[in-house]
Amino acid sequence: MNLDIRLRSEIQKAVTALFNQQVEQLQIQPTNQEFEGSHTLVCFPLTKISKKGPEETAKLVGEYLVAHSGLVARYNVVKGFLNLVISDQVWVNVFRSIYSDKNFGTLELNGKEIMVEYSSPNTNKPLHLGHLRNNFLGYSVAEIYQALGYKVHKVQIINDRGIHICKSMAAWQLFGKGETPESTNLKGDKLVGKYYVEFDKNYKIQIKELIEKGVSEADAEKQAPIMKLAIDLLLKWESKDSDTVKLWRTMNGWVYKGFESTYHRMGVDFEKLYYESDTYLLGKEEVLRGVESGVFFKKEDGSVWVDLTSDGLDQKVLLRSDGTSVYMTQDIGTAILRFRDFPKIEGQVYTVGNEQEYHFKVLFLILKKLGYAWAEKCYHLSYGMVDLPSGKMKSREGTVVDADDLMQEMADEAEKQTRELGKIEEATEQQIKELSEMIGLGALKFFLLKVDPKKRMLFDPNESIQLQGHTGPFIQYAHARIRAIIRKADSMEIRPGKEFDQVKSLEPAERQVIMLINSYINKLTEASRTYSPAVIANFAFDLAKEYNQFYQSIPIFNESDQAKLKFRIAFSQVVADVLQKSMRLLGIKVPERM
RNA sequence: GGUCCGGUAGCUCAACUGGAUAGAGCAUCAGAUUUCUAAUCUGACGGUUCGGGGUUCGAUUCCCUGCCGGAUCACCA
């Protein structure tokens, strides 16, 4: 059984025996580094039932535990804090059970299912730095839930319809001269993005010309020929004009193909893609149904609204007066469709930037009003913007960092540094490329994931590319070094068994590491509860750091005691495994050597 | 203006949801290696946790108030 649970029940027994009263809530926390011990019982809350001062209470509980529990070797009391020292024998047992558990860190399937949505880009702009945070976050949260025994469905919604798509189409028709990704050797998303920019450029010029001719600004925005063309395309698309639909299909196809290669490099994937062009009609139906049942209401001009003023929000439009759907309508449809597709999911996680917090608050409320119980289990995984040292990222000012470019730069830099260090002389070119990719992306992912998602963060390209410090490559390096030890042990035919009874005592660094690994499942749970991969990222960093201290202070192969030597090999093996597992939850691979 | 989120060391971030003398990384300075991979480790320096009140044994955390930054409040998505 888990040490923490055992200890908790032992303390409960002690309290009951000593004070003749049961306590449900025991406050147990990790002991501060400066004191001896691993678990600390906070005794202030117990004074009520013990009728004694905090220190006296702590002392009584401590003495009882040493005498009766078999887990606690010693204790010390500082103010009202009871610090418990677990015996090394117990720690070795904890280690052994982790070592012999092949599936450590992965819980058995619990029969629950959830859905995680992430990415969901616009189809007219290539992916950028913000999308990287989005994708890495969503993917990681999905992995974390999976490790906890959930069946996870990874999906995204593709915003494939609307005026913005038609803008790219219009510009391509006017200036494209039949260009294709093949003819230009451009990624499909980049090509379409180029025409989206082209549209904007020409649109502005045309507006300016009209204004110079004396047209008002508002009219100029409507009369600009290129905008008229885009609107015309939208109307044709909605009436299913075959040429327009064909062009729409073709250009979206280019984008999807481009995105696909970006996703592949990011290392993320999706079980199913949803398209707004497939869901907006369902949303519309649902809204009309809501009008009939009185959940929504219709205004004189025919537009449909929901009144959320009693919930402290505003009124919100759901269908325009011309009957067409808005963003919210589509999201209602999408949500319902997903629960139809996957009836067993108990909830949905939407990975979307925090500028849409209001939108999701409204969406969940509407779904609840429509009578969907699962609305309670929908969660908006909201994350902050990624800033650059130069300031805000703005596409208009050209300060956007393109996702493909950034990943390439990271890999290039990693390769440069790897070659400079020259530790991989016998590696093939192919292996160097793979390693650079692993390190470069590891650096990028770790940097973006180590920060609490809800916080706005600063991405400093120069700093992120440093491979030392609180970074992914630091952890990757720790892993690679351990693997070198394992290889050496293997070649020396030192093979640890599963019994470590002869290991009677532990070095402080060893104990620290076992304590950390013992907390892994707790960390996983915390990460899932808070939807924060940062918890895992920081855990992995702490573990690597703690192990490095052991590595530095204890030369493994100098050990003459065979039992200890074998233990330390096994110990190192477990650290490498846990590093690998926790990094995998972040979507980061760890190398055998680097 | 209303609502929501944030403000912690020079910089980038933690702090197990109310616990002990608020911790890491970077930067700066001082050390350790003829190695199990130094892409490492040890130490020093660095704090009015935005200000002011309150709640209590105890507050970065909860409440009130003010300040600063951001987001949002569209028949845009």
Side-chain angles (χ1 to χ4, degrees), chain A residues 90-102:
Chain A
V90 173
W91 283 123
V92 172
N93 282 337
V94 167
F95 169 77
R96 197 198 38 192
S97 71
I98 293 170
Y99 178 66
S100 50
D101 179 4
K102 282 273 166 288

Side-chain angles (χ1 to χ4, degrees), chain A residues 327-560:
Chain A
Y327 180 41
M328 188 62 76
T329 327
Q330 299 164 8
D331 271 7
I332 293 169
T334 308
I336 291 166
L337 185 60
R338 284 175 178 171
F339 279 92
R340 281 188 196 162
D341 287 349
F342 300 94
K344 285 169 77 183
I345 57 173
E346 62 175 37
Q348 262 200 73
V349 177
Y350 291 86
T351 315
V352 182
N354 63 7
E355 68 275 8
Q356 295 201 35
E357 267 167 15
Y358 185 76
H359 172 79
F360 281 100
K361 207 183 268 180
V362 172
L363 173 65
F364 299 158
L365 219 76
I366 289 174
L367 290 169
K368 198 175 149 192
K369 280 180 187 291
L370 284 170
Y372 294 103
W374 44 255
E376 303 270 0
K377 301 273 193 159
C378 287
Y379 179 79
H380 175 201
L381 171 49
S382 164
Y383 61 91
M385 191 181 284
V386 184
D387 284 320
L388 293 169
S390 53
K392 277 179 91 167
M393 275 212 325
K394 284 210 170 123
S395 44
R396 277 184 216 150
E397 291 160 20
T399 50
V400 170
V401 177
D402 179 81
D404 294 314
D405 294 349
L406 182 58
M407 287 192 283
Q408 187 57 44
E409 276 167 34
M410 296 299 289
D412 287 347
E413 184 61 26
E415 182 177 339
K416 204 179 110 200
Q417 303 203 33
T418 302
R419 286 188 196 278
E420 274 169 12
L421 276 158
K423 289 191 181 182
I424 33 130
E425 280 155 0
E426 71 273 38
T428 64
E429 276 301 302
Q430 173 70 14
Q431 284 168 332
I432 291 175
K433 286 282 175 207
E434 278 170 21
L435 181 62
S436 308
E437 185 76 11
M438 212 185 276
I439 295 171
L441 258 84
L444 179 59
K445 289 182 183 183
F446 192 87
F447 199 91
L448 291 175
L449 288 175
K450 72 178 179 181
V451 181
D452 182 350
K454 70 170 177 283
K455 284 193 175 177
R456 185 172 185 146
M457 68 173 290
L458 183 76
F459 177 76
D460 184 337
N462 286 327
E463 192 185 321
S464 80
I465 227 151
Q466 300 303 317
L467 305 182
Q468 294 163 32
H470 191 189
T471 68
F474 172 86
I475 299 166
Q476 290 173 319
Y477 180 65
H479 177 268
R481 272 201 320 199
I482 298 175
R483 293 301 305 159
I485 290 173
I486 305 299
R487 280 194 300 274
K488 180 169 174 181
D490 211 48
S491 71
M492 292 166 73
E493 293 184 9
I494 304 169
R495 290 168 207 282
K498 292 197 173 170
E499 294 305 318
F500 303 102
D501 293 347
Q502 291 173 49
V503 180
K504 300 292 184 200
S505 67
L506 295 169
E507 297 296 324
E510 294 170 328
R511 202 157 38 227
Q512 289 297 120
V513 168
I514 295 173
M515 276 161 51
L516 252 178
I517 294 177
N518 183 52
S519 73
Y520 181 59
I521 298 293
N522 286 343
K523 296 285 179 189
L524 261 181
T525 312
E526 191 193 334
S528 74
R529 197 184 70 235
T530 57
Y531 300 91
S532 174
V535 174
I536 302 298
N538 289 324
F539 167 84
F541 177 70
D542 288 343
L543 180 57
K545 216 161 91 80
E546 207 66 65
Y547 181 84
N548 281 349
Q549 281 178 35
F550 160 83
Y551 178 92
Q552 203 75 22
S553 57
I554 300 166
I556 295 176
F557 291 102
N558 287 1
E559 181 59 58
S560 54

Side-chain angles (χ1 to χ4, degrees), chain A residues 26 31 33 45 50 57 71 111 202 212 230 240 245 247 270 323 338 350 370 431 447-448 507 559 581:
Chain A
L26 283 172
T31 304
Q33 288 281 352
S50 73
T57 308
L71 296 173
N202 283 278
E212 277 165 10
K240 298 194 163 57
V245 170
L247 176 62
F270 303 92
R338 284 175 178 171
Y350 291 86
L370 284 170
Q431 284 168 332
F447 199 91
L448 291 175
E507 297 296 324
E559 181 59 58
K581 282 171 180 167

Side-chain angles (χ1 to χ4, degrees), chain A residues 8 12 23-27 45-46:
Chain A
R8 184 172 287 271
Q12 233 142 18
V23 248
E24 296 301 316
Q25 291 294 334
L26 283 172
Q27 239 192 94
L46 292 176

